[in-house]
Amino acid sequence: MLKNGNRVLVTGSGVISPIGNDTELFWKNLTAGVSGAAPITRFDATGLETHFACEVKGFTTEGIIDRKDAKRMDRFVQYAVAASHEAIRKAGLDLDTENLERVGVILGSGIGGMETFEAQHRTMLERGPGRVSPFFIPMMISDMAAGQVSIQFGLKGPNFCTVSACASGAHAIGEALRLLRAGDADVILAGGTEATITPMALSGFGNARTLSTRNDDPQRASRPFDQDRDGFVIGEGAGVVVLETEDHARRRGAPLLCELNGYGASADAFHMTAPSTDGDGAARAMRRALEDASLAADDVQYINAHGTSTPTGDPIEVAAVKRVFGEHARKLMMSSTKSMTGHLLGAAGGLEAVVTALILARGIVPPTINLDKKDPQCDLDFVPNQARTQSVKAALSNSFGFGGHNVTLALTAVS
C-alpha cells in the first residue's frame, strides 16, 4: 500500500468516436491527423447556423447488445455499452472467473439522453401524453449508461454516474481511482459517454456563440490555439478505461498500458459558462493532480489539453499551464486531440484519458491539427499538424466544464 492506498493501473480501453469505433482504428486515425468533422447526416441542419459536427460513423450494436435491449437504450447508452465491451476484451478480463461484486462501473455524461428527450417531446406534442414511451425516463437519465453497463455484463460493484458538463468523464475516472485506492473494488470500468448531436443541442450551443460556423470547411473548423479559431465542433462517442488495483492486475497477468496515479479537482466559482479569466481553477486542479501523484512539475512531458478551440478558453488554459509549470511549460508537449474528434462534452475526459494512456504505452504523441497561425497568447509546443514519436513517462489530461468544474488526471508509464 502506498500513502494514498493501492496503486491503480490502466489495463484496457474502449472507444466509440468520430474517427473510429475501436481503439486501434481510432489511434491510427488520431496519429495520422484525420478529422472527424463533416456535414450533419442525422437530421436536416440547414436551418441552423452550424451545419456540421463530428458524428460517429458506421456504428452498430450487432453482436454486442441484444436487439430488443438496444431499442430501449438512448444512443449515449449504446455507445457506453459498446466501448465497455471492447475495454473488457482488450483488458483480457474473464468475467466468468471474476468476483463481480468487486467490479464497478463509473461513467460520466454531461447531458444524457437528449436524442430520446427530443423525440419523446415531439411525440407528446403531436400525439398526446398518452403516447409518450414508458421507457422515456430510463432511456434519458444520465446514470443509465453506468446502469446498463452493469446490467449487460453483470457487474455488481460500485456503480454511479458523474455529471459535471465537459469534466464528467474525467471526474468518473478520478472517483474510480479513489475507490480502488480505498479497496472498495478490484476493477472499475470508468470514463464518459455522450450523444447530443441533435437540433436542440446545436441550437443552444449555437445561440450561445460557442460553436464554429465554418460550414464551408468543416474539417478545418476545430483549430485549438490557432488565431483564426471561431468556436468548438460538437462531437459524440464514448471512451472507457479498465482500471485495476496493481495486485489484481499483476496476479492475472493483465496487459498494462500505464498507471493512473493522480487526480485533481477544483471549482472556478466564477461564471456559468466562462472559465476564470486568470486560469486559477485550472491551475489548482493541475497542482492537486501533481501532488496526488507525487510528481514534480518538471517530471511531466505531455499534457492532453482541454483545448476546445474557443477564443476565450484556449489562452486561459495556456495561462494556467504557465502558472503551474513556469519555465518548464516551454519544454512540454501539449496537444488538443479535439482538433480531430471535436468536443465530446461529457465523454471528452474519458476519450482523452484513453489517448493519454496510449501515448504512454506507445510513445507517439498525436498532433493538434489545423494549427496554421498560432495565437500569440498561445505560445507553447502544441505538436502542430504532425504526430511526434517520443517516449513519454508522465502526462496530464485536462478537462474543464460549464459551471466552473476542473479536473486533471495524472498518468505515468508503468515501471
Side-chain angles (χ1 to χ4, degrees), residues 158-183:
N159 184 278
F160 59 91
C161 171
T162 51
V163 180
S164 50
C166 304
S168 299
H171 263 132
I173 293 170
E175 293 305 312
L177 172 64
R178 287 182 171 176
L179 287 170
L180 289 163
R181 281 175 171 173

Side-chain angles (χ1 to χ4, degrees), residues 8 34 42 79 90 103 110 140 160 174 195 198-199 261 269 274 282 285 299 301 349 381 384 396 414:
V8 174
V34 173
R42 203 164 293 152
Y79 289 166
K90 290 189 76 70
V103 182
M140 178 201 72
F160 59 91
T198 70
N261 52 5
D299 293 331
Q301 296 154 289
D381 177 4
L396 302 183
V414 177

